[in-house]
Amino acid sequence: MDVKEIRKQFPILHQEVNGHPLVYLDSAATSQKPAKVIEKLDDYYRRYNSNVHRGVHTLGSIATDEYEGAREKVRSFIHASSIQEVVFTRGTTTAINTVAQSYGRTRLKAGDEIVITPMEHHSNLIPWQQLAKVTGATLKYIPLQEDGTLSLDDVRETITSNTKIVAAAHVSNVLGTINPIKEIARIAHENEAVILVDGAQGAPHMKVDVQELDCDFYAFSGHKMGGPTGIGALYGKKQLLENMEPVEFGGEMIDFVDLYDSTWKELPWKFEGGTPIIAGAVGLGAAIDFLEDIGLENIEKHEEELAAYALDKLQEVDGLHIYGPKERAGLVTFNIDDVHPHDVATVLDAEGIAVRAGHHCAQPLMKWLDVAATARASFYVYNTKEDIDALTEGLIKTKEYFGDVFA
Amino acid sequence: MSLHSNLDTLYRQVIMDHYKNPRNRGELEGETLHVNMNNPTCGDRIQLQLKVEDEKIVEAKFVGEGCSISLSSASMMTEAVKGRTVEEALDMADIFSSMMQGQDYDDEKYDLGDIEALQGVTKFPARIKCATLAWKAMEKGFHDTDSE
């Protein structure tokens, strides 16, 4: 994998920020976009922008072919068995809310359990909190080990025959923990529960095979994997999706409409009410082509190397604390003694280095870590060891800059 | 502290001094106006207590967690409003808000003292919310009382 060549394909990376070459280390928030994706969007709007699934006209046919072609790309990307199992959504959040509303509301009742983990992003936490409130079900957490991983013993202990839904992140957006989804899915199924996987930090970075994981639902976002914002996908097993009601009603998702009753289109379209996110889907298709040309195994290996390098290199910074396990996906969350993460991020920004500071939409996890906020550097296919060197330098400068204050 | 001139416009000595030695940090005994305010995007939180007698702020204290900008601003705000009437304090909050938005503001009406050191924040749009947190807490406190 030639990172130099890959970097050339990301126009945004070739600029200076505050007088320094941009070092973009915030891909877990959103990734940058390769030229191929940007061109694909441009091409869509310039050449064949049309609504899909209706017009008889030529542009409408091209748009429909491209839109449905993108669905096939998503299917193959996550190794689903049929395009009927791939619903386009606005992103991970919408995908999870769709399951909570459509699957959860009609099936859960008081006494049932929803099991999640304390490392969930708010988008895989609040939908379940709300579902528990509405249905009277109990929300339970699989406890975290000290290093921020899950133990299968705890998973077995927490999931019971009363559990109806298990929801877990594939990869933690704060700790970088890669969860043992296949094993959790098996335990969920032994208890006749379904499992939803929040793949927002999984799908962009590693090969995902939903059949091998045997998860019932898998949700992810396009913008974290080189695609545009506003597009994502929900994978669901066909027999589950078939028995679920749509949550959005309107055009595009109907079969027959009468004055007092209507019927729905077949899968997956019954879940795609309204004019779909055509440009977004087409752009996501281009992003998938881009990632598959590089190879997901190569991307995963590259990020693993960067994470290992960062864990080692960052030891050079005095008073730095890193959160999460040693074996991790491509991100590092940390704090420096006596310097608030906002101040860290501002000083780094002055050096052209973009990191995230705050609670990372994981307030319960911040509480567990016993911190108000943290800083996070996250890596993607275009990052290099030089980026991590720049980060290390920047952090040493931060420490020096603030060192005087508490000297 | 001269590593980066751009940063130095933000992290002025006087700000760092308030950060390191916050004035009025702590809790007040007895009956006070008590306001909690947080910045949901970053997790900063402040708990502000004000003691008002005859429309005058006689005591102001805060506790909280946050960055250098939010904590130093809270320290400066509590210093500035002590001894002021509620009306004056709210007026100062308006002036501070104008300052943060980079608009012209009346710098002679009140002795703003250290507060003017926060002007540099306007060049760092992502940090303006840090600087305004304590002022917003004070405004919230008085507006909630007004509505009762």
Side-chain angles (χ1 to χ4, degrees):
Chain A
M1 189 174 133
D2 187 345
V3 182
K4 267 201 186 117
E5 280 305 310
I6 289 171
R7 287 180 69 83
K8 281 187 195 160
Q9 299 175 55
F10 287 81
I12 204 169
L13 296 177
H14 307 284
Q15 62 172 311
E16 291 205 336
V17 170
N18 296 321
H20 298 270
L22 169 65
V23 175
Y24 187 76
L25 296 174
D26 197 19
S27 296
T30 195
S31 70
Q32 296 304 346
K33 323 301 174 198
K36 275 189 183 146
V37 169
I38 301 167
E39 285 157 12
K40 188 80 184 178
L41 291 173
D42 186 78
D43 190 46
Y44 166 75
Y45 282 119
R46 281 179 196 276
R47 285 202 313 114
Y48 57 91
N49 171 51
S50 283
N51 217 324
V52 293
H53 300 146
R54 34 190 92 138
V56 179
H57 59 74
T58 304
L59 297 192
S61 303
I62 302 174
T64 304
D65 287 351
E66 288 281 342
Y67 179 69
E68 291 304 328
R71 193 188 311 274
E72 166 55 25
K73 285 177 191 190
V74 172
R75 183 207 64 74
S76 146
F77 180 69
I78 58 170
H79 302 86
S81 58
S82 150
I83 58 122
Q84 292 187 298
E85 301 183 316
V86 177
V87 178
F88 280 124
T89 67
R90 194 166 64 80
T92 307
T93 301
T94 312
I96 296 172
N97 276 281
T98 298
V99 175
Q101 300 269 338
S102 171
Y103 184 87
R105 285 212 180 195
T106 51
R107 285 167 181 77
L108 265 66
K109 55 182 191 315
D112 291 342
E113 297 166 353
I114 306 163
V115 170
I116 65 173
T117 85
M119 72 173 90
E120 299 313 312
H121 186 283
H122 293 164
S123 63
N124 197 30
L125 192 163
I126 305 170
W128 307 119
Q129 271 181 359
Q130 292 300 314
L131 180 62
K133 281 187 188 172
V134 170
T135 60
T138 308
L139 184 60
K140 283 170 72 181
Y141 288 85
I142 303 166
L144 289 186
Q145 303 272 93
E146 211 162 294
D147 66 349
T149 59
L150 297 173
S151 97
L152 289 178
D153 284 342
D154 287 335
V155 175
R156 273 185 218 101
E157 193 100 325
T158 315
I159 299 174
T160 73
S161 57
N162 291 324
T163 306
K164 294 290 181 288
I165 298 176
V166 177
H170 195 174
V171 174
S172 159
N173 70 315
V174 174
L175 302 168
T177 312
I178 304 165
N179 284 320
I181 295 300
K182 202 175 159 180
E183 289 72 18
I184 301 174
R186 196 171 54 229
I187 296 164
H189 292 149
E190 280 165 12
N191 289 279
E192 287 174 16
V194 295
I195 177 167
L196 174 141
V197 180
D198 168 0
Q201 304 293 344
H205 305 284
M206 58 190 65
K207 185 186 154 199
V208 171
D209 184 330
V210 288
Q211 296 188 72
E212 203 209 321
L213 291 173
D214 197 21
C215 55
D216 300 290
F217 302 102
Y218 193 98
F220 65 98
S221 299
H223 72 96
K224 292 190 200 282
M225 49 186 277
T229 53
I231 185 76
L234 169 66
Y235 158 81
K237 282 183 184 165
K238 192 176 162 191
Q239 78 273 18
L240 291 170
L241 292 180
E242 253 171 2
N243 293 308
M244 285 160 58
E245 281 290 293
V247 289
E248 286 197 324
F249 304 94
E252 193 82 3
M253 49 76 68
I254 45 86
D255 186 12
F256 289 105
V257 177
D258 206 346
L259 280 178
Y260 298 103
D261 204 6
S262 302
T263 55
W264 319 138
K265 252 188 195 170
E266 59 182 326
L267 283 177
W269 301 288
K270 75 172 180 182
F271 287 106
E272 295 180 3
T275 293
I277 314 148
I278 308 166
V282 167
L284 175 58
I288 288 174
D289 286 344
F290 177 83
L291 296 178
E292 287 184 336
D293 278 350
I294 299 168
L296 269 297
E297 284 93 347
N298 293 329
I299 295 170
E300 185 178 356
K301 191 164 154 271
H302 173 66
E303 291 178 25
E304 241 170 54
E305 283 171 11
L306 288 179
Y309 182 76
L311 288 185
D312 190 41
K313 181 78 183 169
L314 289 170
Q315 301 300 325
E316 292 174 18
V317 185
D318 269 351
L320 189 92
H321 304 278
I322 293 174
Y323 306 103
K326 193 156 189 293
E327 262 178 57
R328 60 169 67 209
L331 62 89
V332 181
T333 296
F334 57 89
N335 265 326
I336 304 183
D337 282 344
D338 295 334
V339 191
H340 192 279
H342 291 173
D343 293 317
V344 172
T346 293
V347 179
L348 290 177
D349 183 53
E351 300 286 318
I353 303 165
V355 298
R356 173 87 194 266
H359 53 55
H360 315 290
C361 298
Q363 289 184 22
L365 183 57
M366 294 294 113
K367 209 174 248 179
W368 182 80
L369 291 170
D370 196 24
V371 293
T374 60
R376 177 188 70 193
S378 53
F379 317 127
Y380 206 24
V381 56
Y382 36 71
N383 288 115
T384 61
K385 287 183 179 167
E386 287 74 28
D387 291 342
I388 293 162
D389 292 342
L391 171 69
T392 309
E393 286 283 306
L395 289 173
I396 291 170
K397 279 187 191 172
T398 308
K399 187 77 188 154
E400 282 169 7
Y401 193 88
F402 277 84
D404 296 353
V405 179
F406 290 99
Chain B
M1 295 275 293
S2 58
L3 230 145
H4 206 295
S5 59
N6 194 26
L7 279 181
D8 289 343
T9 63
L10 177 66
Y11 297 119
R12 302 270 300 274
Q13 289 281 10
V14 56
I15 293 175
M16 293 321 236
D17 180 55
H18 276 270
Y19 180 43
K20 190 180 169 188
N21 308 302
R23 308 349 171 219
N24 305 312
R25 191 167 193 169
E27 293 182 59
L28 288 173
E29 299 284 320
E31 205 176 305
T32 61
L33 183 61
H34 197 126
V35 201
N36 286 309
M37 188 104 178
N38 59 5
N39 180 347
T41 58
C42 63
D44 279 8
R45 56 188 77 208
I46 179 175
Q47 177 197 310
L48 179 67
Q49 282 181 288
L50 299 160
K51 195 176 262 180
V52 181
E53 287 171 12
D54 302 331
E55 279 300 296
K56 207 175 209 182
I57 301 167
V58 292
E59 267 295 353
K61 283 204 176 220
F62 78 99
V63 288
E65 343 181 40
C67 61
S68 57
I69 303 300
S70 68
L71 293 185
S72 62
S73 182
S75 168
M76 293 174 187
M77 186 277 289
T78 50
E79 267 200 324
V81 300
K82 243 201 279 185
R84 298 272 173 204
T85 65
V86 172
E87 200 181 320
E88 284 171 336
L90 289 171
D91 193 29
M92 288 177 94
D94 285 341
I95 290 173
F96 186 72
S97 169
S98 300
M99 186 204 286
M100 284 300 108
Q101 288 166 50
Q103 297 163 353
D104 287 337
Y105 62 93
D106 189 344
D107 59 355
E108 287 177 356
K109 197 167 178 186
Y110 304 99
D111 177 17
L112 295 172
D114 294 349
I115 291 170
E116 288 195 272
L118 284 167
Q119 253 183 354
V121 175
T122 56
K123 290 193 191 131
F124 296 79
R127 307 299 298 275
I128 292 173
K129 276 189 177 163
C130 310
T132 53
L133 184 68
W135 289 93
K136 295 251 183 260
M138 181 199 64
E139 289 183 299
K140 183 184 165 201
F142 288 133
H143 288 146
D144 284 1
T145 332
D146 287 351
S147 62
E148 275 169 13

